[in-house]
Amino acid sequence: MKKYLSLKSMIKIGLLVVALIFPLFVSGNYVISILVNCLFFAAMAECWNIIGGYGGQVSWCHASFVAIGAYSNFILSNDFGITPFLSLPLGIGISFMLAAVIGHATFRLHGPYFSVATIACGEAVRVLIQYFDKITKGAAGIYVSYKGADFWALTFENDIPFYYLGIIVLLLTVLVTYLFTKSKTGYYLSAIKGDETAAESLGIEVFKVKLTAFQLSAMLSSVVGCFYASFLTYIAPTSTASFDLSMKIGVVAIVGGVASLWGPVVGGFIVILLIEATSVFFGAAGGSQMIYGLLLIVVIIFKPEGIIALFRKNNAEDSKNMELDKKEEA
Amino acid sequence: MGTLLDVNDLSISFGGIKAVQNLNFHIDTGEVLALIGPNGSGKSTTVNMIAGIYIPDKGIIKYDGHVIPNKMDIANRAKLGIARTFQTPRPFANLTVYDNIYTIALLHNKYTEAKEITNDILKLTKLDNLRNTNSGKLSIEKRKWLDLARTMATRPKLIMMDEVMAGLNPAEMEASLDLIRAINKEGITVLFIEHVMKAVVSVCTRAIVLNQGKLLCEGEPREVLNNPDVVAAYLGGETDVAGN
Ligand SMILES: Nc1ncnc2c1ncn2[C@@H]1O[C@H](COP(=O)(O)OP(=O)(O)OP(=O)(O)O)[C@@H](O)[C@H]1O
Ligand SMILES: [Mg+2]
């Protein structure tokens, strides 16, 4: 049995191959740019999943960390000519510290109280970015300075490079999340999600575990934010650090399926494609909010485990079949 | 053998209810001490104060020769070897039976050792056949066993068992008593809260009785159960004190 790949991994590899050659078959930038959005939102939702899904700590301030990565990138590259790749440590460092501050302020709270507190924190970060306008250009936002296609500046003539970058970033977030769930802290976090009091009385240091997971989630979000900003070419507090973005990230994860490795990936494609489709019909404004709301309601009522659960049924059958195979072998 | 736990003048009230009043008792290292008393007499509250879930209004808890400060948090008490089950069990309902135990075993062991320890505990507690079951789907009795199994992964010196036998049939009860003896044989001290007096008599070396938050009496289990004050305290309750 072991010599052969399981059906599941064969499907995954197949999808990856299709994804990799897909740009060869599309002309124009429009479709690719939508897919890049899907990939980056899937990646952001995967980061969110670490604390929001596996930890059950539903945070609504992840745009703050995306913004930190984005601003680190643009400020360093515009003002100092430093490649975005070298802005990563800065974004990661600031996110690590900001997550510590927000964590200390909010992790004593539980459930909806925690969530509301994170909204306040996210808004505070947005206001701060706006306030320090000497560095951040305030509400006006920052454009990346385009000096022709340049890999190290992450400026390209079309979005195909970002498409591949998006795939790499997404796979990175999936890999980090996977490794985290197999780590001791990952196990402790799941236990805390299950029952915080029980976890504590068995010796798990609840606060420390939550904070570590939150910081990991924040640092990874800033990495995604850095590359996403280069794709956007323009960032501003009201978009990149907004509650709207925080909400979108969380909704993508919840709709796709929380505490599931591939749930946010499924969510990224479904939610973003739906928003795109509806904006074609209804015009851009307001349509997306309606979609979040509707999707959340539908998913929470009919499939609280997220859309990924629709695929899981087949997996269960797979493993049943595999058991049968084993018996036949024996 | 020395004293593992020494409780001195412990009191707590909730609003007007004096749940525990001026309670004094001790547990010797290696013994199985029964903590009995009618419903609402303060047994679970006592466990919750020792475990750090409730902070007493008054009194001193000494464990392993050291005073446990009120502000010591729950997790740190657990790390000292104080373990407990919950009267209403609290499984990590999002995890399998195996992962419930494995997660706690990871606290004190490397990954591979934790695996072995988890398998040992599963076998010992006879939860082995349920290892891949989602713990949220277990029956209440099995959940209680899982609670107990998890405490065994904490390297406990003291396990406080809050009615772990409720709902078991006589055969299961016999097996459970064997398990508790086995746990005790490994050197783990047990505080045993139970309404089924047969179980108390069979497994405990000593018993203390609470009534309305106060210590009523203490001594050898059979003697204690025949004490007229204890019989009177239980009268009207559904519990069969004589153990028939
Ligand atoms: N958190 C709380 N808030 C208010 N009252 C409480 C609280 N916990 C316990 N009590 C009260 O304290 C008293 C003792 O309760 P406790 O649960 O310790 O009894 P018990 O001996 O464990 O009873 P049982 O055999 O029914 O489990 C009861 O009157 C109970 O209502
Ligand atoms: Mg009780």
Side-chain angles (χ1 to χ4, degrees), chain B residues 38-45 87 162-163 193 195:
Chain B
N39 291 113
S41 56
K43 305 181 296 289
S44 298
T45 305
Q87 183 165 358
D162 199 346
E163 299 189 25
I193 297 179
H195 282 302

Side-chain angles (χ1 to χ4, degrees), chain A residues 2-147:
Chain A
K2 260 196 178 158
K3 271 182 287 180
Y4 306 103
L5 287 168
S6 72
L7 183 63
K8 229 165 115 185
S9 22
M10 265 157 44
I11 290 173
K12 275 177 205 155
I13 291 170
L15 280 174
L16 184 62
V17 170
V18 170
L20 288 177
I21 59 173
F22 184 77
L24 300 176
F25 302 100
V26 279
S27 56
N29 203 42
Y30 175 66
V31 173
I32 292 293
S33 79
I34 292 172
L35 290 178
V36 175
N37 260 307
C38 294
L39 290 166
F40 276 103
F41 270 97
M44 289 184 255
E46 189 71 271
C47 301
W48 184 93
N49 193 26
I50 292 175
I51 185 72
Y54 290 100
Q57 309 296 312
V58 177
S59 135
W60 300 113
C61 67
H62 266 60
S64 302
F65 306 118
V66 171
I68 286 169
Y71 274 91
S72 302
N73 171 353
F74 278 19
I75 292 168
L76 287 191
S77 57
N78 279 3
D79 298 356
F80 303 97
I82 294 171
T83 163
F85 292 98
L86 285 180
S87 78
L88 288 174
L90 180 70
I92 289 172
I94 298 175
S95 296
F96 179 82
M97 287 184 290
L98 179 67
V101 173
I102 295 181
H104 275 91
T106 57
F107 277 139
R108 313 274 172 208
L109 302 170
H110 294 99
Y113 300 100
F114 166 79
S115 296
V116 170
T118 61
I119 296 177
C121 292
E123 284 301 282
V125 170
R126 182 180 59 76
V127 170
L128 282 174
I129 291 175
Q130 227 152 306
Y131 178 79
F132 289 106
D133 55 358
K134 290 234 162 53
I135 311 169
T136 64
K137 307 243 165 29
I142 313 180
Y143 284 93
V144 82
S145 46
Y146 183 78
K147 303 185 190 96

Side-chain angles (χ1 to χ4, degrees), chain A residues 196-244:
Chain A
E196 195 168 318
T197 305
E200 214 174 0
S201 66
L202 290 158
I204 293 175
E205 294 184 74
V206 170
F207 178 75
K208 207 168 112 189
V209 170
K210 282 186 195 171
L211 190 62
T212 306
F214 190 45
Q215 286 175 312
L216 176 66
S217 168
M219 293 188 290
L220 203 55
S221 297
S222 82
V223 172
V224 181
C226 167
F227 293 114
Y228 186 51
S230 286
F231 162 70
L232 292 174
T233 69
Y234 169 70
I235 57 174
T238 45
S239 54
T240 320
S242 64
F243 173 59
D244 188 64

Side-chain angles (χ1 to χ4, degrees), chain A residues 265-285:
Chain A
V265 181
V266 171
F269 281 85
I270 288 177
V271 175
I272 302 303
L273 291 177
L274 263 176
I275 289 174
E276 201 56 44
T278 47
S279 74
V280 170
F281 288 110
F282 301 115

Side-chain angles (χ1 to χ4, degrees), chain A residues 54 182-184 187-188 190-195 197-206, chain B residues 53 74-75 78-79 86 90-92 94-95 99 102-104 106-107 109 111 150-151 154:
Chain A
Y54 290 100
K182 296 292 168 205
S183 74
K184 288 191 174 190
Y187 274 96
Y188 303 154
S190 293
I192 290 168
K193 181 184 182 183
D195 192 315
T197 305
E200 214 174 0
S201 66
L202 290 158
I204 293 175
E205 294 184 74
V206 170
Chain B
I53 291 191
I74 300 169
K79 281 187 201 153
F86 293 89
R90 290 172 163 269
F92 304 132
N94 52 336
L95 303 180
D99 279 345
Y102 179 65
T103 302
I104 302 309
L106 282 176
L107 281 168
N109 302 284
Y111 292 94
R150 264 184 340 198
T151 64
T154 65

